[in-house]
Amino acid sequence: MMRTYSKPWTRRRFIKAGAMAAALMALGGCAKNPVTGRSQLMLVSETEEISMDTQASPHQISADYGRAQDEALNAYVSEVGHRLADLSHRPEMPYNFQVVNATYVNAYAFPGGTIACTRGIMLDMENEAEMAALLGHEIGHVNARHTASRMSNSILVSLAAGVGGALVGAKYGGEWGALAGGLGGFGAGMLLAAYSRQDERQADSLGMEYMTRAEYNPDGMAGLMDMLNAKHDREPNALEVMFATHPMSSERLATARTAANTRYPSAREYSFYRERYMDNTASLRSIEPAVRDLQTAEKFIVKKEYPKADEHIASALSKAPNDYVGLLLMAKSKAAQGRYSEGIPYAERAREAHPGEPQALQLNGLLQVRAGNFSQALSNFTAYEAALPGNPYSAFYKGYSKEGMGDRRGAAEEYVRFLGQVNQGDQAKHAYYRLVEWGYVKGRAEPVPDPFKGLA
């Protein structure tokens, strides 16, 4: 992943950056912004936005415990989302909207149109207009191409700082993925990095525009921001992730209120659709006490107060016995306490509760490895990689399982595959030193570190 250099900008660097920008624009790096209509430096094509989304978003969705199993709720959010997207500046993008099982409060958008909101934020909103404001804001980020613009600027700065060798050999005609080692190297973390305050203001403005086009009361945007600001004041830790990626301020709240009064006064006659929202979220709200327990449990897990976390998870599971997050959190808590065998039944129940969702498969595999059940671990890791390809550590986990089963050749093949993608960290050291020890690689054998230190 590229880094931005922090050394001072000299006159020579400015000239070099300008020349580089001119060269890139001459090669086709200038595009019309779909929102403003103005030309801007853009080194990421729409095709690449969609490709990066397709590669990265499934990993983030799984990290958030997968798509909520409440299909009626997902259909409701998708219907509202598509209604807004159809009225946006880029209606042709392959949007998909979903609720994810995570209990923290957040919503996010990938550049190709994948948009998700958590169960936590769904419980904190009070009407459909607030949800339309939330989804409209995320659609605004996609429409204004904020992620692609940020990445383009990062590429330009990196090239100007002297790492432009990757440009050599890049294919002409939009294949900018070859730049700086490949845009495929940008994972979900980069794609969901913090937006600037200017980006947030523009997304707010676009969100209000789209929601009023869809005939929602614009005060829904002010209501959403009021809720988020108030919640942050009461529970700052509850919104760490959202405020890290979506900088919030009282200024944005005031701006939303002013815009509703001055830009969209006639739209204030539109409805908030509170009853419709409550009807469509009734199933989720029926387990709200369990979700609140899990939110508390996660705070204790962060503080490594695992017995207290276990109490709240157990309370949540008494109210919602098959809750996927609750089952996986209990498995993770047991693993953190070194009680691997106790965690396995919870991971297996989670796998049954949400068949095919990859996180349960991976966690079960990790627990089985720690318990010495290598055959079961390999089965889980194999199923995980089939369900969610693209994680380089799958090769390592499979190799470690085969090593534990005595299949040295199979383990070596997986370790070679893993080292072709990752060459740092304890897992890489373990794989390399085993290959040396087994005679596949020439070198001096070293003590093999614990490759699961700090992991479940």
Side-chain angles (χ1 to χ4, degrees):
M1 191 172 294
M2 295 180 300
R3 61 186 184 275
T4 300
Y5 285 72
S6 59
K7 61 184 180 180
W9 280 85
T10 63
R11 180 174 178 274
R12 179 174 293 181
R13 289 187 70 212
F14 271 116
I15 294 173
K16 183 178 180 181
M20 182 67 71
L24 291 172
M25 289 183 180
L27 286 171
C30 192
K32 180 192 287 188
N33 185 284
V35 170
T36 66
R38 294 193 294 267
S39 293
Q40 68 177 123
L41 177 68
M42 186 61 65
L43 307 181
V44 180
S45 71
E46 183 176 291
T47 299
E48 286 165 336
E49 286 181 294
I50 295 171
S51 177
M52 289 185 289
D53 185 324
T54 301
Q55 292 176 37
S57 61
H59 293 271
Q60 181 62 44
I61 299 299
S62 184
D64 281 330
Y65 301 98
R67 181 183 172 94
Q69 296 99 306
D70 186 342
E71 288 305 323
L73 179 63
N74 280 309
Y76 169 58
V77 172
S78 182
E79 179 187 355
V80 173
H82 280 289
R83 188 184 311 150
L84 296 163
D86 287 347
L87 298 169
S88 73
H89 292 85
R90 300 176 81 189
E92 75 286 351
M93 294 295 284
Y95 294 97
N96 68 85
F97 302 86
Q98 59 230 291
V99 178
V100 290
N101 280 312
T103 65
Y104 71 106
V105 178
N106 199 18
Y108 48 83
F110 280 86
T114 295
I115 294 174
C117 45
T118 64
R119 291 192 299 176
I121 201 166
M122 292 294 295
L123 286 171
D124 284 337
M125 292 185 292
E126 296 185 352
N127 54 64
E128 192 171 300
E130 290 183 0
M131 185 176 77
L134 179 72
L135 297 176
H137 175 97
E138 298 302 336
I139 293 169
H141 283 305
V142 176
N143 276 243
R145 305 191 71 189
H146 286 153
T147 298
S149 177
R150 182 178 64 238
M151 292 175 67
S152 296
N153 289 334
S154 180
I155 292 170
L156 178 60
V157 171
S158 295
L159 291 171
V163 292
L167 182 60
V168 178
K171 292 170 63 180
Y172 177 78
E175 294 294 329
W176 294 101
L179 282 171
L183 294 179
F186 287 87
M190 178 62 183
L191 296 182
L192 297 180
Y195 295 109
S196 69
R197 292 191 181 276
Q198 182 177 346
D199 287 347
E200 288 297 281
R201 293 187 191 102
Q202 186 177 32
D204 289 345
S205 178
L206 291 170
M208 190 172 288
E209 179 180 343
Y210 302 150
M211 68 183 293
T212 54
R213 286 183 186 178
E215 299 189 352
Y216 288 103
N217 193 310
D219 284 328
M221 179 69 80
L224 172 68
M225 293 193 180
D226 193 23
M227 177 272 288
L228 292 172
N229 275 295
K231 189 173 182 69
H232 184 260
D233 290 341
R234 292 192 309 270
E235 305 173 74
N237 293 336
L239 290 174
E240 280 187 79
V241 175
M242 185 160 196
F243 275 54
T245 55
H246 296 272
M248 188 62 67
S249 67
S250 56
E251 174 223 344
R252 287 177 59 199
L253 172 58
T255 300
R257 287 173 173 164
T258 300
N261 284 326
T262 59
R263 291 178 58 194
Y264 305 102
S266 61
R268 299 184 79 182
E269 298 178 0
Y270 296 147
S271 177
F272 290 94
Y273 300 106
R274 175 179 169 79
E275 289 186 9
R276 191 160 72 190
Y277 185 80
M278 290 299 168
D279 287 344
N280 281 282
T281 58
S283 179
L284 173 59
R285 287 185 293 106
S286 71
I287 60 168
E288 180 174 355
V291 174
R292 300 302 183 193
D293 271 329
L294 294 175
Q295 289 174 333
T296 303
E298 288 186 296
K299 294 174 185 176
F300 283 120
I301 287 176
V302 169
K303 293 188 285 188
K304 298 184 178 181
E305 298 181 25
Y306 301 113
K308 291 182 179 178
D310 288 353
E311 290 178 15
H312 286 278
I313 299 170
S315 175
L317 291 175
S318 70
K319 299 160 188 164
N322 293 317
D323 189 83
Y324 186 66
V325 177
L327 293 168
L328 282 185
L329 278 182
M330 186 67 89
K332 290 178 180 180
S333 181
K334 298 299 184 187
Q337 298 172 70
R339 297 156 64 178
Y340 308 112
S341 295
E342 291 181 38
I344 289 173
Y346 289 100
E348 291 180 342
R349 283 175 57 193
R351 186 178 60 188
E352 294 169 1
H354 202 339
E357 206 300 302
Q359 188 175 165
L361 296 167
Q362 186 188 55
L363 181 57
N364 201 344
L366 292 169
L367 289 165
Q368 297 285 3
V369 161
R370 282 309 215 180
N373 305 323
F374 297 107
S375 177
Q376 294 94 320
L378 179 60
S379 176
N380 277 280
F381 292 138
T382 300
Y384 170 82
E385 186 170 32
L388 189 61
N391 184 344
Y393 287 87
S394 294
F396 176 80
Y397 295 146
K398 290 170 70 175
Y400 192 87
S401 300
K402 290 180 179 181
E403 179 185 337
M405 295 167 64
D407 180 4
R408 182 174 292 184
R409 179 170 180 173
E413 291 174 351
E414 296 291 354
Y415 286 158
V416 168
R417 183 162 71 96
F418 170 66
L419 290 171
Q421 303 172 79
V422 179
N423 57 20
Q424 294 181 345
D426 287 342
Q427 290 79 22
K429 290 178 182 178
H430 178 100
Y432 175 75
Y433 291 141
R434 280 288 185 256
L435 291 174
V436 171
E437 178 186 337
W438 296 339
Y440 290 98
V441 175
K442 290 184 178 180
R444 187 179 68 181
E446 299 283 349
V448 178
D450 179 1
F452 291 95
K453 184 179 180 181
L455 300 175

